[in-house]
């Protein structure tokens, strides 16, 4: 599995930012307030960090295998996919938060709702960035350590 490209994360954030800015202007009266929806992104980030610490400990202690007392390699592979998905979700959240923040900052004196929604949109931006970092940390924790031998795991030539 290849690592998630940083350019993909930037593109997702850029598209989400433009979409949030444009759609907020179009549907401002019909959308519910942001509220505490950003807490979900923080909760996923906490799960990612805890899981990555558990995986790093299992890899460093040699606790990876198919025994019941060990962490299964498939669990680590699934966690790497979770880390990638978390990073993409965080990029979308950070982009949406950036678009909302720009929209509300530019209309702070004109709209009464701008002052009320600005702190929540900044919270979405920050929690999205935290989720990107946690997802990338989880993805890096799932990497296999390099081989110690000089043959790359192959048998010695006879």
């Amino acid at each position: 599995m290849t690592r998630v490209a940083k350019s993909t994360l930037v593109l997702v954030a850029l598209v989400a930012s433009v979409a949030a800015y444009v759609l907020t202007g179009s549907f401002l009266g019909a959308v519910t307030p942001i509220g505490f929806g950003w807490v979900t992104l923080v909760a996923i980030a906490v799960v990612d960090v805890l899981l990555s610490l558990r995986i790093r400990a299992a890899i460093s202690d040699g606790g990876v295998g198919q025994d019941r007392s060990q962490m299964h390699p498939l669990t680590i592979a699934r966690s790497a996919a979770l880390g990638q998905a978390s990073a993409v979700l965080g990029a979308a959240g950070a982009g949406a938060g950036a678009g909302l923040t720009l929209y509300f900052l530019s209309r702070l004196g004109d709209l009464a709702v701008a002052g009320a929604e600005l702190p929540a949109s900044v919270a979405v931006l920050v929690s999205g960035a935290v989720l990107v970092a946690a997802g990338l940390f989880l993805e890096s924790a799932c990497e296999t350590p390099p081989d110690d031998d000089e043959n790359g795991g192959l048998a010695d030539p006879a």
Side-chain angles (χ1 to χ4, degrees):
M1 179 183 294
T2 59
R3 295 185 60 116
V4 64
K6 307 303 185 263
S7 60
T8 301
L9 298 177
V10 170
L11 183 64
V12 166
L14 184 63
V15 168
S17 178
V18 170
Y21 188 87
V22 170
L23 292 175
T24 301
S26 300
F27 299 106
L28 183 61
V31 179
T32 61
I34 298 170
F36 291 98
W38 55 271
V39 176
T40 305
L41 300 177
V42 174
I44 296 170
V46 168
V47 169
D48 284 353
V49 168
L50 292 175
L51 186 58
S52 63
L53 294 175
R54 170 74 173 94
I55 289 171
R56 280 189 182 233
I59 290 174
S60 66
D61 295 342
V64 177
Q66 296 188 9
D67 187 22
R68 286 186 179 255
S69 64
Q70 296 175 323
M71 184 173 280
H72 198 278
L74 191 56
T75 302
I76 296 174
R78 288 177 179 158
S79 299
L82 173 65
Q84 289 181 350
S86 295
V88 172
L89 175 65
L100 291 170
T101 300
L102 287 175
Y103 183 83
F104 290 132
L105 272 177
S106 65
R107 289 158 179 81
L108 201 53
D110 299 335
L111 294 174
V113 73
E117 291 294 325
L118 186 61
S121 52
V122 170
V124 170
L125 171 65
V126 171
S127 62
V130 167
L131 184 56
V132 169
L136 292 176
F137 181 61
L138 177 58
E139 183 186 22
S140 70
C142 296
E143 289 181 346
T144 56
D147 290 331
D148 290 336
D149 60 353
E150 53 200 43
N151 292 332
L154 300 176
D156 289 329

